[in-house]
Amino acid sequence: MSDSKKFYITTPIYYPSGNPHIGHCYTTLACDLVARMKRMQGYDVMFLTGTDEHGQKIEKKAQEVGVTPKEYVDDIVANFKKLWGRLGITYDRYIRTTDDYHVESVQKIFKELYDRGYIYKSEYKGKYCTPCESFWTESQLVDGKCPDCGRDVTDASEEAYFFKLSEFGPKLKELLLDEDRNFLEPKTRVNEMINNFIDPGLQDLCVSRTSFTWGIPVSFDEKHVVYVWVDALSNYITALGYMNSAYDDFDKYWPADIHVMAKEIVRFHSLIWPALLMALDIPLPKKIYGHGWITFGGGKMSKSSGNVIDPFILADRYGVDALRYHLLREMPFGSDCPYNNEMMFNRINSDLANDLGNLVSRTVAMAVKYFDGTLPAEKEFTDADNDLLAQLDELPAFVAENYESFHIADALERIFKVIARANKYIDENEPWVLAKDEANKPRLAAVLYNLLDAVRRCTILLSPAMPNTAPLIYEQIGAADANTKWEDASVKYSLPADVTVKKGPVLFPRIDVAKELEELDAMSAPKRELPSEPLKDITKFDNFAALDLRAVKVISCERVPKSDKLLKFIVDDGFGERQVLSGIAKYYDPEDLIGKTLAMIVNLEPRKMMGYESNGMIMSVRDGDKFRVVEFPDDIKAGADIS
Ligand code: ME8
């Protein structure tokens, strides 16, 4: 295969600090769509995704749940891979930054940059939270305090290595402004990068830290670990075997055709990454594309915002292809897109069930009804076919261009316009009227053949978005699996003249929007953990009024000898002292209760326990399998009645 027929596409490597969500799905699906199209066009594709597994955040998360960072990420990486499997993502390689070969390469890259004079040792100054052992920048602080624990931070510094990013301003500006190159899309991001970062002056970048250990050690100074971006960005070349022997594809696939990501990390990819590559004397990637965010209730959907809609549930309930289509169809080029389930259901109903599903089922049903499923070879084509055919002819180039430039929603919209045109063609040509007269059979056959061929051509173009649906449609329209090449979408009438159709199941059942919304709501409502004691029967107010509930002060408290359950109290009930027993010895040190103001039922009949008389009952509340006394503040007087 010639060099020009290779295509290298990447997603960001995601942080496995939490499970993947719909936001990660969009980038990965968009790349999958383009990778699939390129393969259909005969390209040798390398589609890379993976996970960015080092750093302080992951170190802390692992600590919180009591596992090693590697154990922590292993679990989440398994979920990423499971989700990509479920969504039919056809990545060719999955890189983990904890993979040995990546670690080895990053150490070599760091050393190389140091040897070339682009990395130097200095001091990192920041705001330090001592209990969290974390450095923060001024902008990360929340009200001037540690964003993690809310405590005060102090000015501190640590030894660190820096990358001379400041040297690259002019070259980066030239790169971003190069009209022929079109390095960064969408164009609006170019101005953002220049106005906000390059023109004010790029700062050198801190590339090592000593305040945490979960990272790649700097080979020549082991108390440092490589900090974030040199480790993460290098994945795009280490995964091809750059400075390691795990793979041997660097010369074949580099430079990347496109790095895809959302807008918040465009800065790193369009400034730091090219600067690192220039410093290493490596060719730059051809393009960076920063799409918008899938938002939810106004903010970026993220692991920490707790508003994550479970892609597994959506795929299981509505089908992988419906979910794929919806996400790809909804996200406009370069801007944000709100996610909500109702929009998805409406989209499935209108585009997939109504337009595409109906076109396929009506066309196949008519071929069965009027020709027993096999069209006659004799057909009468007329000028009435021209408009539909012209639209089909223009479609493949438009879709290819727009898929490749990540105007995916526009491409899909256009395909569905042609599908709508085909539906209209049915109404214009009224096959049910033609069928009434035997003399019209050749015309009727031509109408149905045009429709089947339109379905075939549109399905080829849709197949990168809906890879599971395409074969089902091919089967129904008698195209079998012969139509998997992109160029077949440009070929008119490639179905056999006597094509045989086959009725199949409904492709996209209509969704009852109100009912589904209700069911999803019920699923996402937080599950209540019911108390272990069920509610008792209703009782009369008098039964309550008969109980005398008071605040009492604990004068003394000690364990009952030979009992591991009972504590013996002397309490002041406001009128005098009395002795009372309570079965809470397992949960308290007696000394801790002395002086406390507790709740007590004071008019229960006296009872003997372990030889001691108990005059009343101290009230406590269940806390899991423990009990805690009900307490009042100190200023509540002994004997105060509780109602
Ligand atoms: O930034 N809408 O990892 P990350 C659209 N490890 N896309 C979204 C999204 C949303 N709501 N949420 C996430 C990192 N994404 C680094 C990257 S690359 C060398 C290192 C997608 O787990 C989108 O692609 O925070 C975004 O850029 C990426 O996930 C951020 O993933």
Side-chain angles (χ1 to χ4, degrees):
M1 205 164 283
S2 83
D3 253 8
S4 60
K5 282 295 233 182
K6 72 94 204 156
F7 189 78
Y8 180 28
I9 182 166
T10 68
T11 73
I13 46 171
Y14 305 113
Y15 289 128
S17 51
N19 282 325
H21 55 71
I22 290 277
H24 299 115
C25 293
Y26 177 73
T27 319
T28 315
L29 281 172
C31 291
D32 185 61
L33 172 137
V34 175
R36 282 176 183 268
M37 174 183 74
K38 285 288 175 182
R39 290 190 199 105
M40 289 171 77
Q41 292 173 337
Y43 281 77
D44 176 350
V45 172
M46 170 59 75
F47 169 16
L48 176 73
T49 189
T51 27
D52 183 2
E53 306 186 4
H54 294 122
Q56 197 170 13
K57 190 166 169 199
I58 283 173
E59 192 176 74
K60 273 197 182 167
K61 287 240 171 181
Q63 227 167 32
E64 276 164 29
V65 290
V67 296
T68 65
K70 184 64 171 38
E71 285 166 343
Y72 183 83
V73 294
D74 280 352
D75 272 357
I76 294 176
V77 168
N79 289 337
F80 269 93
K81 289 188 172 173
K82 193 168 143 208
L83 180 59
W84 300 153
R86 182 73 184 91
L87 296 184
I89 304 296
T90 55
Y91 61 82
D92 297 291
R93 202 161 284 171
Y94 191 102
I95 185 167
R96 303 183 55 176
T97 55
T98 50
D99 287 337
D100 289 344
Y101 72 88
H102 175 78
V103 170
E104 177 194 335
S105 293
V106 167
Q107 289 185 322
K108 288 184 187 161
I109 289 170
F110 198 95
K111 177 79 171 35
E112 180 71 23
L113 290 166
Y114 182 76
D115 290 345
R116 288 174 177 241
Y118 288 109
I119 281 183
Y120 63 94
K121 201 188 235 180
S122 178
E123 281 220 319
Y124 175 79
K125 293 195 181 66
K127 302 284 177 191
Y128 192 68
C129 174
T130 315
C132 293
E133 295 178 10
S134 300
F135 269 99
W136 303 105
T137 60
E138 194 79 53
S139 63
Q140 286 173 316
L141 300 180
V142 175
D143 299 330
K145 313 249 181 200
C146 170
D148 265 6
C149 73
R151 280 180 274 217
D152 286 336
V153 291
T154 50
D155 287 321
S157 63
E158 66 173 19
E159 183 185 279
Y161 287 93
F162 283 80
F163 171 66
K164 288 185 182 165
L165 184 62
S166 59
E167 281 192 4
F168 291 87
K171 275 192 181 166
L172 290 170
K173 191 164 175 175
E174 197 183 315
L175 169 71
L176 292 175
L177 289 175
D178 185 340
E179 290 282 335
D180 301 328
R181 231 192 125 131
N182 235 351
F183 180 69
L184 173 58
E185 291 264 16
K187 280 267 179 291
T188 47
R189 310 237 190 273
V190 170
N191 298 333
E192 227 174 278
M193 292 305 121
I194 293 178
N195 298 339
N196 299 350
F197 303 107
I198 300 183
D199 283 351
L202 291 171
Q203 306 286 313
D204 285 351
L205 181 75
C206 177
V207 289
S208 88
R209 299 307 274 278
T210 56
S211 51
F212 62 90
T213 54
W214 179 237
I216 299 177
V218 172
S219 59
F220 52 91
D221 195 350
E222 293 237 338
K223 72 175 195 272
H224 290 258
V225 295
V226 177
Y227 184 58
V228 193
W229 290 102
V230 174
D231 175 0
L233 290 162
S234 302
N235 92 86
Y236 301 129
I237 51 176
T238 65
L240 299 179
Y242 181 76
M243 289 200 177
N244 69 65
S245 52
Y247 297 106
D248 191 17
D249 303 312
F250 182 72
D251 291 338
K252 179 169 170 196
Y253 291 114
W254 193 259
D257 291 271
I258 186 158
H259 294 310
V260 185
M261 71 217 66
K263 57 188 178 182
E264 81 289 350
I265 54 174
V266 159
R267 171 157 73 102
F268 306 101
H269 285 78
S270 63
L271 302 176
I272 299 174
W273 182 224
L276 286 170
L277 291 167
M278 287 174 193
L280 289 166
D281 229 349
I282 296 176
L284 305 185
K286 292 181 198 157
K287 195 176 282 300
I288 309 287
Y289 171 59
H291 59 74
W293 286 335
I294 294 188
T295 59
F296 190 89
K300 171 174 172 248
M301 186 180 295
S302 76
K303 287 170 274 240
S304 45
S305 61
N307 57 23
V308 178
I309 295 155
D310 189 337
F312 283 105
I313 295 181
L314 297 176
D316 287 349
R317 289 178 81 88
Y318 314 110
V320 169
D321 280 11
L323 176 60
R324 287 177 67 110
Y325 174 73
H326 170 69
L327 292 175
L328 293 166
R329 170 68 184 85
E330 237 26 89
M331 179 75 106
F333 178 77
S335 32
D336 291 351
C337 165
Y339 179 89
N340 72 61
N341 289 323
E342 190 171 354
M343 271 166 68
M344 166 150 144
F345 300 155
N346 289 335
R347 182 59 77 187
I348 294 174
N349 282 346
S350 69
D351 292 10
L352 303 185
N354 271 4
D355 292 355
L356 176 61
N358 268 345
L359 176 63
V360 175
S361 66
R362 284 166 89 191
T363 305
V364 170
M366 288 188 290
V368 169
K369 186 168 174 193
Y370 304 134
F371 295 109
D372 274 342
T374 301
L375 297 190
E378 194 196 339
K379 299 190 183 70
E380 185 193 329
F381 296 105
T382 73
D383 286 351
D385 306 333
N386 292 351
D387 186 50
L388 176 62
L389 289 172
Q391 293 202 21
L392 284 165
D393 284 344
E394 285 167 11
L395 199 56
F398 180 88
V399 172
E401 197 182 312
N402 281 275
Y403 276 173
E404 185 159 356
S405 63
F406 282 80
H407 292 79
I408 295 172
D410 298 336
L412 292 172
E413 184 184 19
R414 181 76 168 263
I415 300 174
F416 275 84
K417 277 206 174 120
V418 178
I419 288 171
R421 179 69 192 85
N423 273 317
K424 191 164 152 235
Y425 174 87
I426 300 182
D427 300 336
E428 288 166 355
N429 288 282
E430 301 182 307
W432 47 92
V433 176
L434 294 173
K436 286 184 182 150
D437 185 345
E438 197 59 27
N440 291 331
K441 282 278 160 106
R443 178 61 193 147
L444 178 59
V447 168
L448 294 183
Y449 188 78
N450 270 323
L451 287 166
L452 290 172
D453 208 49
V455 169
R456 176 187 65 82
R457 294 172 75 177
C458 290
T459 303
I460 293 171
L461 304 178
L462 278 176
S463 65
M466 300 202 282
N468 305 297
T469 305
L472 302 178
I473 297 181
Y474 295 148
E475 201 185 334
Q476 292 198 33
I477 62 168
D481 48 13
N483 293 288
T484 48
K485 287 208 197 80
W486 191 259
E487 66 206 35
D488 289 333
S490 302
V491 179
K492 184 172 132 187
Y493 296 159
S494 77
L495 287 172
D498 59 348
V499 60
T500 299
V501 303
K502 193 171 137 201
K503 268 192 180 170
V506 174
L507 293 169
F508 297 100
R510 270 193 78 81
I511 294 177
D512 179 338
V513 176
K515 182 166 152 268
E516 276 304 317
L517 285 175
E518 221 169 82
E519 285 185 18
L520 281 187
D521 271 358
M523 281 170 73
S524 59
K527 292 218 172 30
R528 248 173 200 276
E529 202 184 314
L530 292 178
S532 53
E533 290 294 317
L535 291 175
K536 290 183 182 153
D537 291 342
I538 298 287
T539 189
K540 294 209 167 359
F541 180 76
D542 289 353
N543 289 338
F544 168 71
L547 290 176
D548 194 353
L549 287 154
R550 303 280 179 150
V552 298
K553 300 263 178 201
V554 178
I555 295 167
S556 71
C557 178
E558 59 192 53
R559 290 184 189 281
V560 170
K562 297 206 190 98
S563 166
D564 53 2
K565 275 204 195 144
L566 290 178
L567 292 181
K568 180 160 71 76
F569 293 81
I570 302 295
V571 298
D572 178 359
D573 63 17
F575 298 93
E577 293 181 7
R578 62 163 80 204
Q579 175 174 297
V580 60
L581 295 157
S582 177
I584 54 174
K586 273 198 227 151
Y587 318 117
Y588 286 99
D589 274 339
E591 302 83 64
D592 292 345
L593 293 170
I594 295 170
K596 294 214 162 188
T597 309
L598 305 182
M600 180 167 151
I601 308 174
V602 294
N603 64 338
L604 286 179
E605 283 173 354
R607 233 176 113 190
K608 272 227 160 141
M609 288 184 251
M610 299 288 284
Y612 295 90
E613 190 174 279
S614 180
N615 296 284
M617 189 159 107
I618 289 181
M619 303 186 73
S620 38
V621 60
R622 187 189 290 275
D623 173 14
D625 45 12
K626 296 194 206 112
F627 280 91
R628 288 203 274 162
V629 290
V630 178
E631 278 185 58
F632 298 115
D634 288 346
D635 56 345
I636 297 293
K637 294 209 166 49
D641 57 312
I642 304 170
S643 51

